[in-house]
Amino acid sequence: MTLPRYRELAEVLVREVHTDYAPGDLLPTEAQLAKRFAVNRHTVRRALDELVAAGMVTRHQGRGTQVVDRRLDYAVSAGSKVTQNLAGLGLPSTTRCLEQGLVKPPESIAQRFGRPASEPLLRVDTVRTVDDAPLMRLRHWFDPARVPGWLARYRGGSTRALLTQHYGLQLHRRRVRIDAVGADRDDTRWLQCPLNAPLLVMTSDNTDAEGALVEVSVGRARADRLAYHVDFEEAAGRDFEEAAGQGHASPGASAASALFPSDEDDA
């Protein structure tokens, strides 16, 4: 689907705010932007409205448009991928594999797969780094029958790329839950943040083309470096709960910690 011109311009400005500006910097004037992109000022104004709505900039009478937030704006949709989203923002990333193997899952994960908790699943723990700074750590739970030979193949990098290249799997999010939690001791180690620093935890049920669950992923991201948004226009014609799951914020960490237990809990 072709994006409206103002949306295309907004995406360009989002990338530039992340890479070229610091908090407090002023963007060029609407007239300067209109001349640069060969569009009218109304189009520029609508594009800037998108950045204002995302909390990235504010307008000040007589001063202009000011950058207030350098958090990465992560688009959540049925088919979005971490690497692809970050690359779209002009931010190359690296993914390090921390640990992987067959592990007995928490009961909440086993129930998602329709398995007894005593039956091991493939668990893959990774940490994603952007600009040489850790952004999020992820725990992937896979149905091992769908990814035979995974442990011999995966050494780091995009798990989605490996799923596509070696297993012919294009996964889609069926359900998403977003929780707000405080960083635990493992987070302080891998995300280099203070204990109890705010994190966003996104849990996704990821299915194949037939709707069968292949993976449950749990990403713990630094809230000072990343913000999630869901594009309602992408879900046009579908019920939002079908497109993005029943996502909602939780004030406590209990649900998220059950899905992504600490090393102490695993012991």
Side-chain angles (χ1 to χ4, degrees):
M1 184 177 75
T2 303
L3 289 176
R5 185 70 178 101
Y6 79 91
R7 291 290 301 279
E8 293 179 352
L9 178 54
E11 291 188 357
V12 172
L13 293 175
V14 165
R15 289 194 293 269
E16 292 186 354
V17 165
H18 287 312
T19 58
D20 301 336
Y21 293 87
D25 287 349
L26 292 175
L27 297 185
T29 65
E30 291 182 1
Q32 290 171 327
L33 291 172
K35 181 178 180 180
R36 174 188 168 191
F37 293 103
V39 298
N40 59 48
R41 291 184 63 175
H42 176 70
T43 300
V44 171
R45 193 170 298 115
R46 290 194 67 186
L48 291 173
D49 286 343
E50 297 285 302
L51 275 68
V52 171
M56 299 179 64
V57 301
T58 56
R59 288 191 175 97
H60 300 279
Q61 188 67 32
R63 290 182 57 199
T65 304
Q66 187 175 33
V67 175
V68 296
D69 194 346
R70 291 199 67 184
R71 288 179 297 172
L72 304 179
D73 193 37
Y74 185 92
V76 179
S77 65
S80 59
K81 306 176 181 65
V82 177
T83 304
Q84 179 179 321
N85 276 351
L86 296 176
L89 295 172
L91 298 169
S93 62
T94 58
T95 300
R96 175 186 171 191
C97 180
L98 302 177
E99 185 179 6
Q100 57 181 341
L102 293 174
V103 178
K104 292 181 181 179
E107 186 174 350
S108 55
I109 295 291
Q111 289 177 352
R112 276 175 155 82
F113 283 94
R115 306 280 186 84
S118 59
E119 184 176 335
L121 295 173
L122 174 62
R123 193 184 80 186
V124 181
D125 289 351
T126 63
V127 62
R128 177 70 56 125
T129 301
V130 177
D131 288 337
D132 296 323
L135 176 67
M136 66 175 71
R137 68 185 187 109
L138 298 102
R139 176 159 290 176
H140 310 265
W141 293 96
F142 291 106
D143 176 354
R146 302 298 303 274
V147 288
W150 176 279
L151 295 176
R153 291 191 174 105
Y154 185 69
R155 292 293 180 268
S158 170
T159 58
R160 289 294 183 94
L162 184 61
L163 288 168
T164 299
Q165 294 169 6
H166 290 280
Y167 301 101
L169 290 169
Q170 293 276 358
L171 300 189
H172 300 274
R173 289 190 177 95
R174 182 177 67 193
R175 183 177 294 109
V176 171
R177 175 189 173 105
I178 298 177
D179 292 278
V181 304
D184 62 24
R185 285 177 294 176
D186 293 321
D187 296 318
T188 64
R189 176 185 181 187
W190 297 115
L191 297 180
Q192 298 177 12
C193 61
L195 187 66
N196 296 319
L199 302 182
L200 294 174
V201 180
M202 185 169 72
T203 305
S204 301
D205 289 0
N206 304 314
T207 64
D208 62 17
E210 285 71 44
L213 183 64
V214 175
E215 174 198 25
V216 175
S217 63
V218 186
R220 299 171 69 91
R222 288 180 48 162
D224 63 334
R225 299 201 62 212
L226 180 143
Y228 291 115
H229 82 260
V230 177
D231 192 336
F232 286 88
E233 290 187 11
E234 290 189 7
R238 295 177 294 166
D239 182 80
F240 175 69
E241 290 187 358
E242 176 187 342
Q246 299 176 1
H248 58 281
S250 168
S254 58
S257 61
L259 295 172
F260 202 141
S262 66
D263 291 341
E264 181 177 351
D265 293 332
D266 286 344

